[in-house]
Amino acid sequence: MSSEPARRPRRLWALWAALLALFSPLLLTPASAPAATATDTTATAQADPVPGMFNPRQTWLRNSTAGLFLHWGMYTQPEHYDCDSWQKAVNDSGWNPDYWVKETQKIHGSYIVLATFHSRLGYARPWPSKIPGSCSTKRDILGELIKAAKAKGIKVILYMTDDPQWHDVMGPESFDSAAYSAYKGKDVDLTTRPGFGEFSYDNFFEVMHNYPDLKGFWIDNDNEYWEQHHLYEQIREQRPDMLLSNNNEDTPIMDTVSNEQKTGMTPDYDMPAAYWTSMPRLTESCYKVPSSGAWWYDGQDRPVDTALNIRRYVANAGTSYKSLMDLQAQVDGTFPPQQQAFTDYMSKYLDPIWESLHGVEGGGYLYGGLRPGAWNDGAYGYTTVSKEDPTRQYIHVTTRPAGTDSGTLRIRDNGMKVKRISDLRTGKKIAFDQHDGTVTLKDITAWDPYDTVFKVETERHRQGLYPSNTVRATATSSKDGHPAADLTDGDLTRYWDSNAQVPVSVTLDLGGVKKARYLAVNQTEWSPTYNRESFGRKEDSARIKDYKVFVSDDGEHWGDPVKTGVMESARSTRYVDLDTTARYIRLEVDSTWSAATVIPFYHQLRIDEIAVGHSYPVSHGRG
């Protein structure tokens, strides 16, 4: 992870679109899950279309909530320009791996990513190496960390950079090309991409052979030498237990995609800013805990925004992301006071609500659950669903309602009949009323300043929807392999593609004239979403914007639209409320949110499922 200007752009948009097309079928849960119906609270998968995408090596990370990201090396303040002086400073200061392990436990992390072989930190290798070329310590810092972490059930992943351009950023040269050339028996210039690619390639093999308990590599971008010499394929063959993660690119061979969350988050985002992949892709959000400065300790005690960081943590859990939290270790390994205060606070804050953040999936979309996002009176938040028991879910209110009705929270129920609601921290029962598609929580007086959590117990199946096998879908345009029939097959992992045709219409046949109260639309979460006002950029989302709904009893006579509107660009199920009877319902999509300048997403409409509701769950509960 670096804070320098863009070194290399992400892959060209055309390639990115191709990769997304490849990954779209991956919107699947593990193949071991049972088959689903349209009314199940969770979607499931039939198979893993790309071998290894749900490999058992990923299980521990899929079960994780957070990790600790450590940028720490020769140029951690105060800077050291040779390996011996840096190692002496580390030893003399009393560096101990147990400290990092304890800090990881405070944030309820399952893993540590050590970023020392880093382009802006001197390319230091904190392990004894037989490969000359950059700083290599005599003390086995990496080995000590792996051992200490393993004793507490924590995994270690090693950061590897692709980029040699910062070899003399501090003045002195970081590389010894002559020594490496002598070692290789040929001239190799480590300051070039091919030369550095060869040097780092050798280090991959040295590390994975010497550290059997190292759990993977966190790779910052890519290097042409690695690709040409099939590095990743060889890692897969020699160490099939190792995770591979890539920053800024999404490539099939990687287990994990890491999204660099530099821009924070606000309630205007339906996901934290700068997300561009979504569940069930194994995905991290990596972000700096301090509010300013570099990714590494720069000599200052930078401020920490507690509210922002707690809400990031919650938002990531609510979108099935892993929080990779960058805390900036000093030379002795400890954190500056304000970061230390934050981890101390988190160790106490998370315990009472841990069940709502761990062992859960993000709610409202692929895994069912109440609908997250923007609620009433300025309220905003996320929902999570227990993996073990999907009838148990949680509402996380990160921004409480405002105004005169600030003790009331109203959430679209997504077809889930609610049985009980309680405050997770206190156990106090919450009064609620459920009807017309909405659950209203009443008389709330205890609001947490960062995340008020309500535990919700529901019936197992969604209610009030026509079974998927009774609704037939057709469309005016479909892409090969993604027919309109996928809209009503009861499987959120398959989707209909409009074949870049917008306007386009979808017609649903209920098989007879029946009551239709609403359409529940689940769009494919494959396009990035950004605030439409900030950063001076256009909306990228491929979601529906302008639409009309027509109804007919015979499929020939349609008349005027019964509903015209703008569908908000937001994740989770979107509802089109109707109140009509008909056999045929036609949804006409006249525009999407993406700008014409964003070619991979412009008019690229994809919808996983459309369900038709005939009634709403009704329930009540006393506080």
Side-chain angles (χ1 to χ4, degrees):
M1 184 66 54
S2 300
S3 62
E4 69 266 16
R7 297 150 292 173
R8 287 195 299 144
R10 292 180 185 166
R11 293 195 184 275
L12 297 174
W13 277 111
L15 178 55
W16 172 227
L19 290 170
L20 284 169
L22 173 62
F23 274 120
S24 292
L26 293 177
L27 290 179
L28 302 174
T29 51
S32 60
T37 67
T39 56
D40 282 346
T41 58
T42 56
T44 56
Q46 285 74 32
D48 178 359
V50 175
M53 189 50 59
F54 291 95
N55 192 285
R57 65 174 168 265
Q58 301 171 3
T59 300
W60 71 264
L61 185 55
R62 289 189 179 276
N63 292 336
S64 300
T65 301
L68 181 61
F69 206 5
L70 293 169
H71 289 71
W72 179 77
M74 288 178 64
Y75 297 158
T76 295
Q77 289 287 335
E79 297 141 0
H80 295 84
Y81 302 109
D82 67 84
C83 204
D84 289 341
S85 66
W86 176 56
Q87 180 175 246
K88 184 176 187 302
V90 171
N91 290 335
D92 290 350
S93 66
W95 176 87
N96 188 315
D98 292 333
Y99 172 85
W100 285 347
V101 173
K102 290 177 181 176
E103 294 303 302
T104 304
Q105 291 175 314
K106 288 180 182 179
I107 62 170
H108 286 53
S110 301
Y111 63 110
I112 296 169
V113 177
L114 181 61
T116 301
F117 187 63
H118 187 285
S119 56
R120 298 294 297 271
L121 286 169
Y123 302 92
R125 294 172 292 161
W127 66 86
S129 176
K130 295 181 180 179
I131 306 167
S134 72
C135 167
S136 170
T137 59
K138 297 178 178 67
R139 180 177 179 179
D140 192 358
I141 294 171
L142 175 61
E144 291 181 38
L145 177 60
I146 293 171
K147 182 179 179 180
K150 182 180 179 181
K152 299 298 182 180
I154 292 172
K155 318 294 185 184
V156 175
I157 294 174
L158 185 64
Y159 175 106
M160 299 291 280
T161 184
D162 76 314
D163 186 7
Q165 70 169 306
W166 303 98
H167 59 95
D168 57 357
V169 64
M170 293 298 181
E173 175 61 57
S174 296
F175 296 142
D176 188 343
S177 294
Y180 183 68
S181 296
Y183 169 78
K184 298 291 286 189
K186 62 179 181 180
D187 288 337
V188 182
D189 184 352
L190 299 185
T191 68
T192 66
R193 289 194 63 83
F196 181 75
E198 184 171 357
F199 171 63
S200 51
Y201 175 91
D202 289 346
N203 278 273
F204 273 102
F205 287 95
E206 179 179 68
V207 169
M208 70 176 177
H209 290 158
N210 290 346
Y211 299 97
D213 290 323
L214 182 68
K215 285 302 177 182
F217 293 111
W218 201 101
I219 301 164
D220 206 346
N221 294 311
D222 215 337
N223 186 285
E224 297 82 353
Y225 185 94
W226 302 345
E227 294 174 334
Q228 293 164 2
H229 291 79
H230 308 291
L231 170 64
Y232 307 133
E233 291 81 1
Q234 293 185 72
I235 294 173
R236 285 281 177 258
E237 180 180 349
Q238 297 181 31
R239 285 289 304 274
D241 62 304
M242 283 188 123
L243 283 169
L244 293 177
S245 177
N246 199 287
N247 179 43
N248 293 338
E249 294 182 352
D250 190 353
T251 51
I253 200 167
M254 297 292 168
D255 294 285
T256 312
V257 181
S258 200
N259 289 237
E260 198 166 325
Q261 193 185 21
K262 290 181 176 179
T263 49
M265 61 174 283
T266 73
D268 293 329
Y269 291 100
D270 62 332
M271 297 187 198
Y275 278 18
W276 49 276
T277 50
S278 61
M279 65 177 87
R281 186 70 164 112
L282 183 52
T283 309
E284 289 174 330
S285 170
C286 57
Y287 54 90
K288 294 185 296 184
V289 169
S291 300
S292 60
W295 287 85
W296 49 89
Y297 179 66
D298 59 7
Q300 298 186 48
D301 182 17
R302 300 282 184 176
V304 173
D305 185 333
T306 300
L308 170 64
N309 282 288
I310 288 177
R311 288 166 180 161
R312 278 171 161 170
Y313 196 101
V314 171
N316 288 330
T319 43
S320 293
Y321 274 56
K322 313 306 172 188
S323 285
L324 183 56
M325 306 169 70
D326 178 72
L327 289 143
Q328 296 162 5
Q330 301 170 97
V331 171
D332 66 355
T334 64
F335 302 140
Q338 294 188 71
Q339 294 179 53
Q340 184 68 70
F342 172 74
T343 62
D344 292 343
Y345 183 81
M346 285 288 278
S347 68
K348 299 175 183 177
Y349 184 84
L350 293 174
D351 283 343
I353 60 171
W354 186 234
E355 68 177 75
S356 71
L357 297 168
H358 183 68
V360 298
E361 295 285 5
Y365 175 55
L366 188 65
Y367 300 103
L370 303 169
R371 190 170 78 178
W375 298 320
N376 61 289
D377 300 302
Y380 198 88
Y382 300 84
T383 63
T384 54
V385 181
S386 168
K387 294 180 184 179
E388 180 182 54
D389 178 7
T391 68
R392 188 175 72 244
Q393 50 189 284
Y394 306 88
I395 301 169
H396 295 264
V397 185
T398 53
T399 302
R400 59 171 291 184
T404 58
D405 200 17
S406 60
T408 301
L409 186 70
R410 289 186 289 274
I411 301 179
R412 194 76 192 227
D413 62 28
N414 208 11
M416 306 301 304
K417 184 174 181 178
V418 175
K419 296 164 61 177
R420 283 176 292 275
I421 302 178
S422 59
D423 184 306
L424 182 58
R425 287 186 174 86
T426 66
K428 177 184 175 181
K429 291 183 179 180
I430 302 296
F432 70 91
D433 183 40
Q434 180 180 15
H435 60 85
D436 296 331
T438 298
V439 180
T440 302
L441 287 69
K442 303 177 179 179
D443 304 322
I444 305 168
T445 57
W447 293 99
D448 185 82
Y450 309 126
D451 179 29
T452 305
V453 187
F454 299 103
K455 183 175 182 177
V456 182
E457 298 171 66
T458 71
E459 299 288 353
R460 179 166 293 274
H461 301 297
R462 295 171 72 189
Q463 297 187 3
L465 301 174
Y466 290 112
S468 58
N469 59 7
T470 67
V471 181
R472 178 174 175 267
T474 56
T476 55
S477 176
S478 298
K479 189 174 184 177
D480 289 347
H482 301 285
D486 286 348
L487 288 167
T488 56
D489 64 354
D491 187 349
L492 284 165
T493 70
R494 290 193 289 262
Y495 64 91
W496 162 73
D497 189 311
S498 73
N499 200 28
Q501 297 300 305
V502 175
V504 66
S505 64
V506 171
T507 300
L508 305 173
D509 179 0
L510 302 183
V513 177
K514 299 179 181 179
K515 185 71 174 178
R517 297 292 300 274
Y518 62 88
L519 301 180
V521 183
N522 280 296
Q523 299 177 78
T524 306
E525 296 293 338
W526 68 288
S527 58
T529 54
Y530 291 89
N531 182 292
R532 285 168 291 286
E533 302 296 331
S534 302
F535 315 120
R537 64 179 299 146
K538 298 291 185 180
E539 164 68 58
D540 289 346
S541 169
R543 296 164 176 158
I544 297 168
K545 187 178 181 183
D546 296 289
Y547 70 89
K548 300 183 184 74
V549 178
F550 301 84
V551 297
S552 171
D553 289 345
D554 59 10
E556 296 182 5
H557 302 88
W558 293 91
D560 295 331
V562 296
K563 186 72 174 282
T564 299
V566 175
M567 191 173 291
E568 64 271 51
S569 179
R571 71 183 290 269
S572 183
T573 308
R574 297 293 104 191
Y575 287 88
V576 179
D577 287 308
L578 308 170
D579 192 4
T580 188
T581 56
R583 173 172 177 173
Y584 299 94
I585 304 171
R586 176 171 291 168
L587 174 64
E588 178 184 295
V589 179
D590 296 321
S591 66
T592 57
W593 280 101
S594 56
T597 53
V598 188
I599 296 172
F601 307 115
Y602 183 61
H603 286 177
Q604 301 296 320
L605 180 61
R606 299 176 181 178
I607 303 177
D608 295 327
E609 200 78 8
I610 300 180
V612 182
H614 55 75
S615 61
Y616 299 107
V618 176
S619 185
H620 306 278
R622 293 184 178 182

